[in-house]
Amino acid sequence: MKSVKVFQYDAFSKEPNKGNPAGVVLNGDDLTEEEMQEVALKVGFNETAFPVKSDIADLRIRFFTPGHEMNLCGHGTMAMVYALKTSGQLGDKTDMTIETKAGILPIKINEQSFITMKQAAPQFKEFNGSREDLASAIGLTEEEIDAELPVLYGSTGIWTLLVPIRKLASFENMKPNNELFPTILKEMPRASIHPICLETYHSEADMHGRHFSSPYSGTIEDPVTGTASGVMGAYYAKYIKTDFKDSLNLVVEQGQEMGKDGRVTVHVAKAEDSYDIQITGNAVFVREFEVIL
């Protein structure tokens, strides 16, 4: 038997048990890939993060759902960097790079311990499936999908299907049937589904979202999703606020239907033929526990 110490940090909130919980295991180099996966399964959060040595960046972070390894995780990154910073392991460092399966990404930490991470260049791909079946899979009718905006797969590191919803009221009624997702998402059967809306609970927020996991992840819903918030910013710039000049800042809210109430700041800047996407968030320590392998 082997004991592994796990720290829970909640990202995108300063209040414990709000935002999005992530498991943080600080001795990643002592674990095999199989052990990391077992820890993530036993922890049961949407993601557990493990730092390991990197030859090409300051740090490599590996992210595991209960079901498989992920290329990138926004809230797991926030939790890990905050844990390393507040425990003194980063010293005075405020700029660093992290190696992920989505590429090498720069990180900045400000004096209030807000963390800004750059995401991968946004990509979009068409969804050619049935909107009626898609709506049904999340407990809605097709009429609740906004017909004036595109339903698209989007990625700034992780692929998700962005589904524009006309009214905020629809979000309370959503009931995902995750097992159906692969049959509907024929182009990308392993993608998650991310409904979005321009109506919000908070007046300072620009967009609202929910995030329903791929059934391969071993989870149902993600409370506050950093990678999906980043691609929401790119979607907003490309299809909604198309007349902005050089850059824009958005506040994305998520988790309210789950009692989590998290917020992510998304920075969008025009780049050649694309956008540079950064997200800013924070984290808070919640508890420490052990997992036995």
Side-chain angles (χ1 to χ4, degrees), residues 167-182:
K167 297 291 182 182
L168 185 63
S170 297
F171 283 75
E172 287 283 358
N173 301 324
M174 291 177 180
K175 292 182 176 61
N177 187 342
N178 304 61
E179 295 301 321
L180 292 178
F181 292 1

Side-chain angles (χ1 to χ4, degrees), residues 5-48:
K5 189 178 291 187
V6 181
F7 302 90
Q8 178 186 340
Y9 286 83
D10 288 352
F12 303 122
S13 174
K14 273 298 184 188
E15 185 179 342
N17 300 310
K18 299 287 186 181
N20 197 351
V24 170
V25 177
L26 292 174
N27 61 324
D29 284 313
D30 297 335
L31 302 173
T32 66
E33 182 174 311
E34 291 73 22
E35 287 171 334
M36 291 181 191
Q37 185 63 74
E38 186 179 348
V39 169
L41 176 62
K42 290 187 172 179
V43 169
F45 294 150
N46 282 286
E47 269 89 14
T48 299

